[in-house]
């Protein structure tokens, strides 16, 4: 339905706000150019429009502020200075167009009644244009339409213009407000749907559909950012690569559905025991990778031990079964200027050592070190 608003999930609200800002910036640019061109055309074609000298002077004075707003919009876009919120700029453009359209109508009603039919067309164009500028939907209409129209009707009373006599010239523009409302609402809904579709596709591309964790492709972007951050500021980070112990036995004994439940529960337990800024991803199969920003190797090894206990100490309820599942971890830290794949391979080597050492343990390998540190399970 046109007036049904598709909700934006809370996790995407910030991204949606950025999306709207980009839309507002693009529309402000288009509006700036359109207004500039249209005002120039109207200004230099007074004879073709049948406008005499006096009313032309009034029109010029009324158009000047709107032209300045349009030129300022173009200046801000192309110079990036000063920093102006695109939403605020768009509202100023819309209000200036509303003010110009309504002011021209009053001026012609007072000084050139024979040309009111032209001003009726100007109002229709202005009202529809302002409708297109209301990117955020009907909540902006109080500011962009209701308040200017209230001031307009108050001005008619002050200058003693009879609304009944002007109604034939105002009828079509007022109908255009309703048309603009429907079109604006439809475009708002289309933008929301486009945003949601884009986010859902991005989520499918970056998220493991079984566990809800980031997938291997997505984590590489975060790792590259951490490497760049290390290069700029020297902030350390560590990796914990985990592998479920003897997981094939779970699949063979209970079936893959139960195995999937175990993977999901493992992912949940890991996420419940890391910090908000840490990242857990499904690396592949039964392997999971935990990324710990601002963490040295010793601290990462302690985190791995905490995660090992979180996974293995309590049985998992899966498919009506109570399954004791353990996990082994390989831990390492990023080393200056090395390729991130080298760091991951070192974590994998540490994981191999944990497996060789009896499983259900966390082992670490320092960059350039030969012997691992290992924390065995207490059996």
């Amino acid at each position: 339905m046109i007036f049904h608003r598709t909700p934006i999930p809370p996790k995407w609200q910030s991204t949606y706000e950025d999306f709207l800002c980009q839309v507002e910036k693009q529309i402000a640019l288009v509006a700036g150019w359109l207004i500039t061109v249209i005002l120039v055309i109207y200004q230099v074609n007074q004879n073709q429009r049948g406008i005499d000298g006096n009313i032309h002077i009034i029109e010029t004075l009324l158009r000047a502020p709107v032209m300045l707003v349009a030129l300022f919009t173009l200046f801000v876009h192309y110079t990036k200075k000063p920093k102006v919120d695109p939403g605020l700029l768009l509202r100023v453009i819309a209000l200036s167009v509303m003010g110009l359209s309504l002011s021209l109508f009053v001026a012609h009603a007072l000084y050139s009644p024979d040309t009111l039919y032209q001003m009726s067309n100007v109002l229709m164009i202005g009202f529809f244009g302002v409708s297109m500028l209301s990117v955020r939907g009907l909540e902006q209409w109080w500011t962009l339409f209701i308040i200017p129209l209230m001031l307009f009707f108050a001005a008619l009373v002050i200058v003693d213009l009879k609304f009944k006599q002007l109604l034939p010239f105002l009828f079509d523009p007022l109908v255009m407000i309703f048309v603009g409302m429907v079109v604006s609402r439809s475009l708002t809904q289309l933008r929301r749907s486009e945003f949601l579709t884009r986010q859902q596709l991005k989520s499918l591309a970056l998220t493991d559909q079984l566990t809800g964790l980031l997938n291997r492709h997505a984590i590489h972007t975060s790792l590259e950012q951490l490497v760049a951050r290390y290069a700029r500021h020297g902030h350390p980070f560590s990796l914990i690569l985990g592998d479920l112990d003897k997981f094939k036995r779970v699949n063979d004994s209970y079936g893959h559905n139960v195995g999937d439940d175990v993977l999901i529960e493992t992912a949940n337990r890991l996420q419940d025991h890391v910090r908000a800024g840490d990242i857990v991803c499904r690396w592949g199969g039964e392997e999971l990778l935990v990324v710990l920003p601002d963490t040295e190797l010793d601290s990462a090894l302690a985190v791995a031990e905490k995660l090992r206990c979180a996974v293995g100490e309590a049985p998992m309820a899966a498919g009506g079964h109570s399954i004791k599942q353990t996990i082994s971890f390989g831990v390492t830290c990023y080393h200056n200027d090395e390729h991130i794949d080298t760091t991951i391979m070192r974590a994998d080597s540490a994981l191999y050592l944990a497996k060789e050492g009896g499983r259900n343990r966390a082992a670490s390998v320092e960059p350039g070190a030969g012997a691992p540190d290992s924390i065995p399970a207490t059996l």
Side-chain angles (χ1 to χ4, degrees):
M1 292 177 61
I2 291 176
F3 291 96
H4 171 70
R5 170 178 286 190
T6 303
I8 303 295
K11 64 179 180 179
W12 291 339
Q13 284 289 349
S14 176
T15 308
Y16 182 62
E17 185 65 27
D18 294 339
F19 169 75
L20 285 182
C21 285
Q22 290 301 315
V23 172
E24 288 172 332
K25 188 180 297 184
Q26 294 168 2
I27 292 179
L29 174 63
V30 173
W33 277 113
L34 276 177
I35 291 170
T36 301
V37 172
I38 290 172
L39 290 184
V40 169
I41 291 173
Y42 270 83
Q43 186 66 25
V44 300
N45 285 279
Q46 65 180 89
N47 294 330
Q48 288 83 348
R49 294 170 50 232
I51 303 299
D52 61 33
N54 292 331
I55 195 67
H56 182 64
I57 293 173
I58 295 174
E59 284 188 349
T60 301
L61 293 174
L62 291 175
R63 289 188 188 114
V66 184
M67 178 64 82
L68 289 175
V69 170
L71 293 176
F72 178 74
T73 300
L74 297 177
F75 177 81
V76 167
H77 177 81
Y78 290 110
T79 66
K80 313 299 181 186
K81 296 179 182 179
K83 295 287 186 181
V84 181
D85 174 44
L88 175 62
L89 195 57
L90 206 56
R91 288 191 291 274
V92 172
I93 294 172
L95 287 172
S96 69
V97 170
M98 280 294 292
L100 173 62
S101 303
L102 295 171
S103 299
L104 285 174
F105 186 89
V106 172
H108 279 257
L110 288 172
Y111 304 113
S112 183
D114 293 341
T115 57
L116 270 179
Y117 70 93
Q118 287 190 32
M119 293 304 102
S120 179
N121 293 333
V122 168
L123 278 182
M124 290 178 65
I125 295 171
F127 287 173
F128 188 77
V130 171
S131 299
M132 298 304 98
L133 298 180
S134 56
V135 171
R136 295 176 184 267
L138 299 182
E139 59 264 27
Q140 292 184 327
W141 280 57
W142 279 101
T143 304
L144 303 185
F145 278 98
I146 305 302
I147 295 176
L149 285 172
M150 290 174 63
L151 294 174
F152 169 71
F153 289 124
L156 294 182
V157 174
I158 293 172
V159 299
D160 199 27
L161 288 171
K162 304 301 181 183
F163 177 75
K164 190 173 182 180
Q165 296 175 349
L166 298 176
L167 184 58
F169 303 101
L170 291 172
F171 183 80
D172 287 344
L174 292 175
V175 171
M176 183 57 70
I177 291 179
F178 174 75
V179 173
M181 180 186 299
V182 174
V183 174
S184 174
R185 186 63 177 176
S186 299
L187 290 175
T188 299
Q189 179 62 23
L190 284 173
R191 276 191 289 267
R192 294 173 77 91
S193 298
E194 176 195 353
F195 170 80
L196 287 171
T197 300
R198 185 185 303 176
Q199 289 301 114
Q200 288 162 357
L201 288 174
K202 185 184 294 185
S203 178
L204 287 172
L206 301 179
T207 305
D208 174 60
Q209 297 307 297
L210 176 64
T211 61
L213 301 175
L214 291 180
N215 61 25
R216 189 166 183 161
H217 172 72
I219 199 66
H220 270 291
T221 301
S222 298
L223 291 173
E224 288 168 2
Q225 292 171 350
L226 287 172
V227 169
R229 187 166 171 256
Y230 181 96
R232 287 194 306 269
H233 308 294
H235 291 290
F237 68 94
S238 295
L239 304 182
I240 303 174
L241 184 61
D243 184 82
L244 295 178
D245 296 325
K246 299 181 180 179
F247 185 66
K248 185 176 182 299
R249 255 199 260 176
V250 175
N251 284 328
D252 291 343
S253 301
Y254 302 102
H256 287 279
N257 288 337
V258 173
D260 288 347
D261 290 342
V262 170
L263 272 172
I264 294 169
E265 178 61 20
T266 301
N268 291 337
R269 293 187 184 188
L270 292 180
Q271 287 186 301
D272 288 343
H273 289 82
V274 296
R275 301 167 301 182
D278 299 334
I279 307 170
V280 183
C281 99
R282 187 177 181 188
W283 190 245
E286 60 268 26
E287 287 189 330
L288 301 110
L289 181 69
V290 183
V291 182
L292 305 176
D294 299 309
T295 306
E296 300 283 2
L297 182 59
D298 290 344
S299 298
L301 188 59
V303 172
E305 174 61 12
K306 180 178 71 172
L307 296 177
R308 185 193 66 77
C309 294
V311 171
E313 285 190 346
M316 299 181 181
H321 304 279
S322 180
I323 298 174
K324 179 76 171 177
Q325 178 63 60
T326 61
I327 190 168
S328 299
F329 288 114
V331 187
T332 193
C333 62
Y334 179 75
H335 184 56
N336 188 30
D337 292 333
E338 71 181 1
H339 196 280
I340 189 61
D341 288 345
T342 302
T343 315
I344 295 170
M345 290 173 63
R346 194 163 55 249
D348 191 57
S349 297
L351 175 60
Y352 175 79
L353 292 169
K355 292 285 190 180
E356 287 294 298
R359 299 185 176 87
N360 191 24
R361 65 183 60 215
S364 69
V365 175
E366 294 185 5
D373 296 323
S374 177
I375 302 179
T378 303
L379 300 175

